[in-house]
Amino acid sequence: MRAHEFWLEALPFYQKIDRTTEITLNVGQQMDGQLLPNIPVWYRHFDIITGAGLRSVKGELGRDPAGYVKLKTSGIYAIGYESTKKIVDLEPEKFTHYLNNKGLEKIIKRRLELNESKKNGLEIYYRNVKALIKVGDEPELNFYNYDFKYPLNINPFQNPYELTQGDELQVQLTFNQKPAANLLLHAKIKNTPSFEFSIRTDAQGLATVPLKQKGIWLLHTVEMIRSEQQGVDWESYWGSVTFEIK
């Protein structure tokens, strides 16, 4: 069993002022997968941060691409999407395999302590994702490290659009606004299925990603906690951020 990644893409990530940028919702593997339409009951928030503050991403019901933005001021903009909850019920072996794949060995250990290793994994999950885009040539606004206050956040410490191939990008992962230590962060590049990089965050939730190639990058991770909701054992939060390196 392979859990699917979820991410936002901008068409394009580099855009001219006062031009329409389409925003797609994507689910799949290695940045290759299915495009999802705009279904408002699927999300809590689908927003962009601008000089005037947060505003909803425009979109049409059932439409793919799910949204579009048109910006009149140059800058680095962040687009965020927070899903509503979904539920999954996995057989014990499949659940354990999925936990291993996402670096969640702590949950395997906790299930053993709770004598639940042979029990199905009943889980609700949420998507906390964002995309960073560049509009115009000389940014007047800079929201590359904007935090939408979703439960799980991947926050770049540098502006990716000031970096190039060979540079390093430091990020901090937070969960409920606190540093998320020992999470497994994955990096992917669109149309480069042979590339994959993974690193654990340190005690401060920090990780450094070497930008070895040009292209559209996806950084993603998963956090899981014991659920306090009735009838559910676990809650997982899937975070990602996308941007393009030229």
Side-chain angles (χ1 to χ4, degrees):
M1 181 264 179
R2 297 188 67 193
H4 288 90
E5 300 144 16
F6 186 93
W7 69 97
L8 301 181
E9 279 193 44
L11 304 172
F13 277 88
Y14 285 80
Q15 183 59 286
K16 296 180 180 179
I17 294 172
D18 207 24
R19 297 283 184 86
T20 297
T21 301
E22 295 181 330
I23 308 299
T24 63
L25 309 178
N26 304 264
V27 60
Q29 293 287 342
Q30 301 291 348
M31 297 201 76
D32 181 22
Q34 176 185 1
L35 297 175
L36 301 180
N38 187 320
I39 307 294
V41 295
W42 288 357
Y43 57 86
R44 294 175 172 174
H45 301 102
F46 189 15
D47 299 320
I48 180 169
I49 179 64
T50 72
L54 271 181
R55 64 178 176 86
S56 297
V57 172
K58 294 181 180 179
E60 299 173 14
L61 178 63
R63 180 181 183 267
D64 164 45
Y68 55 92
V69 295
K70 189 175 183 180
L71 300 157
K72 298 181 182 297
T73 304
S74 62
I76 308 301
Y77 292 88
I79 298 152
Y81 180 99
E82 181 185 20
S83 76
T84 52
K85 68 180 180 183
K86 294 188 177 180
I87 191 166
V88 63
D89 187 3
L90 294 178
E91 297 173 355
E93 288 186 3
K94 290 184 177 180
F95 193 58
T96 298
H97 182 76
Y98 146 57
L99 295 174
N100 271 315
N101 179 261
K102 295 302 176 184
L104 294 168
E105 292 86 358
K106 64 182 181 181
I107 305 300
I108 297 175
K109 180 181 178 181
R110 184 63 179 145
R111 276 168 55 84
L112 184 62
E113 293 171 348
L114 294 169
N115 197 29
E116 294 183 358
S117 296
K118 295 182 180 180
K119 179 183 176 182
N120 279 20
L122 187 58
E123 168 198 359
I124 54 174
Y125 63 91
Y126 304 86
R127 311 290 197 179
N128 301 165
V129 302
K130 61 185 177 182
L132 306 177
I133 64 173
K134 182 177 181 181
V135 175
D137 296 323
E138 298 295 331
E140 297 179 37
L141 301 172
N142 221 334
F143 294 112
Y144 70 88
N145 60 351
Y146 183 78
D147 184 353
F148 287 94
K149 307 299 183 184
Y150 302 155
L152 184 58
N153 181 53
I154 302 174
N155 185 39
F157 274 9
Q158 302 121 292
N159 178 359
Y161 291 95
E162 293 181 351
L163 303 178
T164 188
Q165 181 179 356
D167 290 337
E168 293 184 335
L169 175 65
Q170 188 177 51
V171 298
Q172 183 180 44
L173 278 59
T174 60
F175 184 65
N176 290 333
Q177 302 302 304
K178 297 179 181 179
N182 202 37
L183 287 191
L184 187 61
L185 179 69
H186 301 274
K188 308 277 174 55
I189 305 173
K190 189 175 178 66
N191 298 323
T192 313
S194 60
F195 175 85
E196 185 166 356
F197 173 83
S198 300
I199 187 173
R200 292 273 181 184
T201 58
D202 66 13
Q204 299 303 313
L206 301 175
T208 300
V209 179
L211 301 174
K212 295 184 177 181
Q213 298 183 38
K214 298 178 181 179
I216 296 173
W217 282 71
L218 164 68
L219 307 183
H220 64 98
T221 191
V222 183
E223 174 65 300
M224 185 178 288
I225 60 173
R226 187 70 171 179
S227 180
E228 296 181 356
Q229 299 188 42
Q230 187 174 3
V232 179
D233 296 325
W234 305 98
E235 294 178 17
S236 66
Y237 296 82
W238 298 60
S240 73
V241 61
T242 49
F243 51 86
E244 185 173 359
I245 296 297
K246 285 190 173 182

